[in-house]
Amino acid sequence: MTAPALVLVAHGTRSARGVEQVAALAEAVSAQVGTTRVAFVDVLGPSPSEVLRELDGPAVVVPAFLASGYHVHTDVPREVADSGHPDVRVTAALGPDRVLAAVLLQRLVETGWRPGDAVVLAAAGSSDPRALSDVRRSAALLAELVGGPVRIGYVATAQPRVPEVVGRLRGEGHRRIFVASYLLAHGLFHNRLGDAGADGVTEPLGVHPDLVQLLVSRYLTAAGAAAPQALRQALRVR
């Protein structure tokens, strides 16, 4: 039985650093599952349909999105259909997930956050209410870990915007405010967070070992019996 190739689908960015981070994430995943390809749904290529057309065997598409909005519900299924590939399985998006919340907490601590400091979860934003619901869930998961409220701010599309939320917290008397970048990689959206007026902005989720394992787990769940047996046993996926 041929193990399916993993197609990691990301948003896309003009930031060379961001593209390198996505490539490094795919490389780390490939070291565990085998053939892994990267595709993008916006800004640059290759598109998921282009990548799938180049694959002969079965494939598992993993949408590397932190909330399920238009790209997950519309773009990815359309690209899969357009590819004409006969054997494709699509996993759930990465977020919300407790693993991501734990990585966000680590990023906050690395940036200098201490218990009692205010936290703003900075998400890309979406006009899809399903995606906004996912972001609220992610904020709730992070709040459990930081032991206090987590406000939500958006970089684009949705309201309120991150600088507005930081300003409100200043007005409420918070002396130290940290922005948790709920973004996968560097790019225009992450760069904007530096002007939000916070005391610290975390790095994006990036190439974190736990994020790699989350991607692998998504793949294994979809691949099922076709996944490498040793890998399934190692991660206790049945």
Side-chain angles (χ1 to χ4, degrees):
M1 183 179 293
T2 302
L6 189 156
V7 180
L8 189 156
V9 180
H11 182 275
T13 174
R14 292 183 177 86
S15 165
R17 185 178 180 187
V19 173
E20 289 170 359
Q21 284 183 309
V22 174
L25 187 59
E27 183 177 357
V29 172
S30 177
Q32 297 194 45
V33 307
T35 301
T36 302
R37 298 285 302 277
V38 174
F40 300 98
V41 295
D42 201 359
V43 182
L44 73 164
S47 68
S49 60
E50 290 171 334
V51 170
L52 288 169
R53 290 189 195 109
E54 296 174 354
L55 297 174
D56 294 327
V60 171
V61 171
V62 182
F65 293 90
L66 308 180
S68 295
Y70 183 85
H71 293 309
V72 172
H73 291 293
T74 301
D75 282 341
V76 170
R78 183 183 63 239
E79 289 284 334
V80 171
D82 288 349
S83 74
H85 195 293
D87 189 0
V88 182
R89 306 168 198 179
V90 181
T91 76
L94 292 184
D97 195 283
R98 292 185 183 278
V99 169
L100 300 179
V103 176
L104 285 170
L105 176 61
Q106 181 176 330
R107 294 283 185 250
L108 281 166
V109 173
E110 292 169 351
T111 308
W113 173 88
R114 298 191 299 266
D117 294 338
V119 176
V120 179
L121 181 72
S126 173
S127 58
D128 191 322
R130 293 169 295 187
L132 301 184
S133 176
D134 283 350
V135 173
R136 289 193 293 271
R137 175 60 179 156
S138 297
L141 291 173
L142 181 57
E144 292 177 7
L145 297 181
V146 302
V150 171
R151 307 287 182 90
I152 297 172
Y154 296 99
V155 183
T157 309
Q159 297 289 340
R161 299 298 173 86
V162 177
E164 179 184 349
V165 178
V166 172
R168 289 177 184 173
L169 288 168
R170 292 285 185 211
E172 294 171 7
H174 293 273
R175 297 182 60 186
R176 284 167 47 94
I177 303 168
F178 286 79
V179 170
S181 178
Y182 194 48
L183 300 168
L184 184 67
H186 277 272
L188 176 63
F189 282 3
H190 180 77
N191 292 341
R192 289 179 180 175
L193 299 180
D195 299 324
D199 295 281
V201 177
T202 72
E203 285 291 296
L205 293 171
V207 188
H208 188 283
D210 292 344
L211 179 55
V212 172
Q213 294 308 310
L214 180 59
L215 281 162
V216 171
S217 177
R218 291 282 192 271
Y219 165 82
L220 290 175
T221 299
Q229 182 178 6
L231 182 56
R232 285 189 285 114
Q233 291 176 340
L235 295 185
R236 297 180 181 178
V237 175
R238 300 294 186 264

